[in-house]
Amino acid sequence: MINFVPDIGRVLVVCPATLRLNWRREAERWLTRPTDFVIVEDDEPFIPADGKPIMVIANCERVRRPACLARLMAHQWDLLIIDEAHRIKDPKTAQTKSCFGVEKRKTVEAVPGLSAQATRLLLLTGTPLVNRPVELWPLAHACDPETFPSFWGYAKRFWRRVEELKERVKGGHYDRAAVEAIGTEDERPSETTLAGAPVGVAAKDGTDQGEK
């Protein structure tokens, strides 16, 4: 994707600490444009003065630290990549707040996260739904807030169907016709909505970036 979109110059990668060197090694191998690489350390500068394309790689634990997060939030990113994104499943954790921010509620003011500073967002995971539908909410909302604007709307739409599905298959009996009958066609989300949004690429201007 980075090779085919000229506007992507500043890339921020958030990944587990064990994958930082692997991200740099693979990016050096596959990127076609000259790019500077920075693995975030306490006092290392992020952006080179000459404006050359840069990939900044930060591990999840460091991003949670206020000082590091503040330095990263000081810049606008053309692309934010979050690897192993299924780990960001609880809106209450520091990890989720640092990446996606805090939503405004009656007694809580909104606080932006790294995704607010990125033009594009790419979530990478092989396990988008770990145990319960609620764990997919932070990813779905971050990647496509127009389709998933409200947690309670999401919960009403999906959680009830999962509970119904559990009842239909309880005891090891699988009734395909009964399972497919859950909800109506216009109520059931499409495969694109369920599968595409959480792991796709969202541009803040609303355009579909497609698969590059």
Side-chain angles (χ1 to χ4, degrees), residues 85-136:
H86 60 272
R87 297 184 177 189
I88 310 176
K89 61 183 181 180
D90 186 349
K92 298 178 182 179
T93 64
Q95 183 65 66
T96 303
K97 291 177 181 179
S98 63
C99 289
F100 298 148
V102 178
E103 289 188 279
K104 179 178 176 59
R105 297 190 179 93
K106 291 182 179 179
T107 59
V108 179
E109 292 296 322
V111 178
L114 288 172
S115 61
Q117 296 299 105
T119 305
R120 302 169 182 84
L121 173 64
L122 181 60
L123 306 177
L124 304 179
T125 176
T127 316
L129 186 59
V130 182
N131 292 307
R132 301 171 297 163
V134 68
E135 295 174 351
L136 188 60

Side-chain angles (χ1 to χ4, degrees), residues 9 11 16 18 26 61 66 86 88 119-120 141 158 177-178 203:
V11 179
T18 56
E26 293 300 316
E61 294 76 15
H86 60 272
I88 310 176
T119 305
R120 302 169 182 84
H141 177 66
F158 298 117

Side-chain angles (χ1 to χ4, degrees), residues 165-176 178-179:
L165 179 59
K166 288 180 180 178
E167 290 298 319
R168 298 292 178 95
V169 299
K170 186 178 293 184
H173 175 68
Y174 180 82
D175 184 341
R176 183 181 180 87
V179 170

Side-chain angles (χ1 to χ4, degrees), residues 150-201:
S150 163
F151 170 77
W152 293 113
Y154 171 89
K156 290 177 182 178
R157 185 176 184 184
F158 298 117
W159 186 262
R160 177 174 60 84
R161 287 174 174 77
V162 172
E163 293 304 311
E164 292 176 7
L165 179 59
K166 288 180 180 178
E167 290 298 319
R168 298 292 178 95
V169 299
K170 186 178 293 184
H173 175 68
Y174 180 82
D175 184 341
R176 183 181 180 87
V179 170
E180 291 181 347
I182 296 176
T184 62
E185 287 298 327
D186 56 347
E187 289 177 330
R188 284 198 300 249
S190 66
E191 292 182 1
T192 301
T193 300
L194 279 174
V199 295
V201 181

Side-chain angles (χ1 to χ4, degrees), residues 2-156:
I2 299 173
N3 291 334
F4 295 100
V5 182
D7 292 343
I8 297 179
R10 294 181 177 182
V11 179
L12 173 60
V13 177
V14 178
C15 65
T18 56
L19 297 179
R20 292 182 303 169
L21 294 178
N22 188 62
W23 262 98
R24 175 169 184 165
R25 181 168 56 249
E26 293 300 316
E28 289 177 334
R29 178 183 179 187
W30 293 107
L31 292 182
T32 57
R33 286 180 287 170
T35 301
D36 286 336
F37 295 91
V38 174
I39 294 180
V40 173
E41 302 294 346
D42 287 338
D43 300 317
E44 193 164 0
F46 295 146
I47 306 298
D50 60 5
K52 182 180 177 182
I54 185 172
M55 175 176 285
V56 175
I57 304 170
N59 61 290
C60 306
E61 294 76 15
R62 189 173 296 280
V63 166
R64 294 200 300 254
R65 300 177 184 177
C68 181
L69 179 61
R71 295 206 309 273
L72 292 170
M73 289 287 293
H75 302 288
Q76 183 69 32
W77 304 95
D78 300 314
L79 174 63
L80 169 62
I81 300 173
I82 302 178
D83 197 2
E84 300 292 342
H86 60 272
R87 297 184 177 189
I88 310 176
K89 61 183 181 180
D90 186 349
K92 298 178 182 179
T93 64
Q95 183 65 66
T96 303
K97 291 177 181 179
S98 63
C99 289
F100 298 148
V102 178
E103 289 188 279
K104 179 178 176 59
R105 297 190 179 93
K106 291 182 179 179
T107 59
V108 179
E109 292 296 322
V111 178
L114 288 172
S115 61
Q117 296 299 105
T119 305
R120 302 169 182 84
L121 173 64
L122 181 60
L123 306 177
L124 304 179
T125 176
T127 316
L129 186 59
V130 182
N131 292 307
R132 301 171 297 163
V134 68
E135 295 174 351
L136 188 60
W137 158 251
L139 306 185
H141 177 66
C143 206
D144 192 352
E146 292 187 4
T147 300
F148 303 100
S150 163
F151 170 77
W152 293 113
Y154 171 89
K156 290 177 182 178

